[in-house]
Each structure stands twice: as structure tokens, then as C-alpha cells.
Amino acid sequence: MQAWPSRAALAPHRRPLPPGGRARNEDAFRRLPEIIYRGIAAASLAWLAACAHPAPLPRPWGEAERLFHADPRWLGGDAAISVDLGGGRLLWLFGDSFVDPVPPYTRREAAFPRNTVALQTGADPRIAAMEFVWRRDGAGVPASFFPEPGEDWYWPGAGLRLPDGTLAVFLHRIGLTAAAPPLNFAVEGFALALIANPDDPPAAWRGRIVPGPFLPLGAVPAAAVLTEEGAAIVLATAQQGGVHRGVLVRYSAADLAAGDLSRALWWAAEGRGWVAASALGAAGPAIVIDEAGAESSLHYDPCARLYVHVSSAGFGAAEIVTRTAPRPTGPWSAPLPLYRPPESDGPAPFVYAGKAHAGLAAPGARQLVLTYVASSFDGAALLTAEGERRLYWPRAALAAAPACAD
């Protein structure tokens, strides 16, 4: 049994005061109101200056990145998908992650679970609490939060809280290929994770994973998801010639909560509306976004009265772009640039996973909080001291939201 530290062991270390030390302490105490006043005045002036001259957009938001460094054992990961759980809590979903539970916490000694999660409490990432969670295997080694289905593994897709309180998270089933790393993988299908008690700490969650059926065009949900009128509208992607075509599939909330994926409806274009897969015909579902990205976000902006889609555009050197539409079914605008990560202009860039997070509180009005991941095609670079500091971490940025409607 580990002994609990004694009160003496917890007491702060004290050194004897030097000669004249008491007098200096008393003088400092008498000047304390002046010190406090000057500190408040300086902070107020800095705040007023920031309000009068706000930093231009878009720009990096390094203050928000403290979230991802809250636990020294979690040493980086990608995807960075957020799900609003309600009550000021957000779930973060990560793909491949470095986790080293033993000091000095280094990637070279880390395990590499295929997915991890974190619970954020508080909407402002500058001050919110963040708790990272993963499972352990029989030997105590960090393991994936969503367990592997045999030789394949799961990377997270989008998730949502259903009306009955269930948390639903779409999972992408991934398998190895003969291609060269780090692109030696392929999507083999999808599954749905259902958690019955998401108001409890993630380590105590009870859930199950439901395998998904093969879908038209080989589409895989959910790059992004939103709720509307008791249903989940899911952006699924169908890869065609290296392009991620965006199609829409609709599930009732009751079916998702029950794990029933058999009654999905597909958007088949204006005039046909939502139809079952059996009624789609050879053409398949309508492509609503020509290049939706492998990862993206989708939310409704009530001030602009528009749906907003955000994704990365480009391979290697990428920028974050947005599209807008009056309805999820479109018509969607052409992509507009939101933010170009500075890493895209560096040597051998590998920038991806761009998305927006409507559940995060931005520091100013009409601002979008963005994240992306900057990695390297050279896996060894992630294990260097420099790579541990700057590569394979979610990075944050701020961009302007769409203008409000009249």
C-alpha cells in the first residue's frame, strides 16, 4: 500500500529570513494596495488596447492549444473532432495518439492507441479543464478507447447527443494496405458506438459498437453530422479518384439510439427528396459537395441563416476552406479560403484535418474556432525533440464567421 504523504511532507519548504528580511516583508505588505492597483490598471489598459485594436483575422490562436497539453501523458494525436454533450461539456475524439503513462513522458517510449478521447469542461478553451481518457490492455499498456475489431481498427468520425440522452459516435473501420507509410491504410466500412451514460466520466461509460452495412457508392459516414427535426443528417463521403464526394444520409434519432442502421434515407436530389437505398437506382445518391474532405465539420449559423461546412483543401500543403448553403441539401457555394496554416509554407508540409468547432467559445463576436493537424510524411520526424514540440498536435486558429443576414 502506498503511504499517504504526511502533513509535514506536504508543507511548503521554508528558508530562514535573511537579515532585514522581516522589515522588507513588512514594507512590501504596506505597499500591497499600491501594487494591486498598478496591476489592475496595467491589465485594464491592456484589455482596452486589445478591444480598440483587435488582432486581424484569420490568425493562430495559441492560447486555445493549452487544452491539448493538459495531460503530460498524452503526447499528441490527430482528428480532433468535438461533440457538444450539453451542460458546458464537450467530447473530443482523436485518432492515432501518442500516450506514455510513465515519466519522462516521451514519444519514443509511448504506446500508439488508434483512438483516444478527452472531456472538456467549460466552453472557453483558454480556461477549460481537459481530461484525457484511453483504455489499458491486459498488460497495462495504453490502448484504444474504442476497441479494435480484430486486425482492423477504428478512427473516429463525427458524433452527436440524441434526444433520449444517448451519445452516438460514428466510427470508421480502417485496415492496413501495401502502400508506403503513412498512407498505408484504407477505409473498410463503418460502425456506430452508442454510449448510454455520457453524463458520467468517460472512464465509466457503458456502451456497445454496432457494425454498419455496406452503403451506396461505398460511402462512409460521418465526416460531419447535424441534428434537425428529430433526425441526424449525416455527411458521408464516397472516394472517387482521390476526391471525397459529399453525399447525405438521414437517420431517425430513434433508429440511431436503437442501433438500427437499416432504415437510412439518402438525398437523391430535388424532385426526389429522401429515399431508401433500394430506390436510388444506378446513379446513387446526389453529390451535394464535390470535394467534402476526408474530415470536416458542419453546423448551422443562426445569425447568417446559413449552414457552414469547413474542411481542409489540398494535399500536403493545405488551407482551410468553407462553403455555405441555405439548406444541408444545398446548393452549396464554391469553397472560400478561411485560413492558411503557416506549416503549409514550411518544408515538406503535411497539413490536414481542418474543421470548425461551433461549441467552443471564441474570444470575439462572429469568430469561428478552427483546428487542424500539422504532421510529417517522415514518421521519424515526429519522434525528434523538435517534432515532439511542433508536429502531430491539434493546432487552433480563429477566422471570421459568415456575415449576419439582414
Side-chain angles (χ1 to χ4, degrees), residues 281-300:
I287 295 173
V288 296
I289 300 178
D290 286 339
E291 173 53 286
E295 302 179 44
S296 63
S297 62
L298 184 61
H299 69 273
Y300 180 70

Side-chain angles (χ1 to χ4, degrees), residues 225-281:
V225 62
L226 53 84
T227 56
E228 192 173 84
E229 298 178 354
I233 298 178
V234 174
L235 179 65
T237 55
Q239 196 163 1
Q240 297 178 340
V243 177
H244 295 86
R245 306 295 189 191
V247 298
L248 294 178
V249 56
R250 183 184 178 103
Y251 299 94
S252 77
D255 282 349
L256 283 183
D260 183 356
L261 300 171
S262 66
R263 298 195 290 180
L265 298 178
W266 296 83
W267 179 250
E270 295 290 344
R272 296 190 64 198
W274 297 95
V275 302
S278 58
L280 281 172

Side-chain angles (χ1 to χ4, degrees), residues 150-241:
E151 295 297 318
D152 294 343
W153 66 90
Y154 290 125
W155 281 340
L160 71 159
R161 190 81 184 263
L162 299 173
D164 72 345
T166 301
L167 170 63
V169 176
F170 286 87
L171 302 173
H172 299 163
R173 181 168 179 159
I174 309 297
L176 282 174
T177 69
L183 303 177
N184 56 332
F185 63 88
V187 179
E188 303 289 349
F190 81 103
L192 181 70
L194 296 169
I195 292 100
N197 57 328
D199 290 327
D200 292 338
W205 282 356
R206 302 185 308 275
R208 59 192 177 109
I209 296 178
V210 180
F214 181 81
L215 299 179
L217 298 182
V220 178
V225 62
L226 53 84
T227 56
E228 192 173 84
E229 298 178 354
I233 298 178
V234 174
L235 179 65
T237 55
Q239 196 163 1
Q240 297 178 340

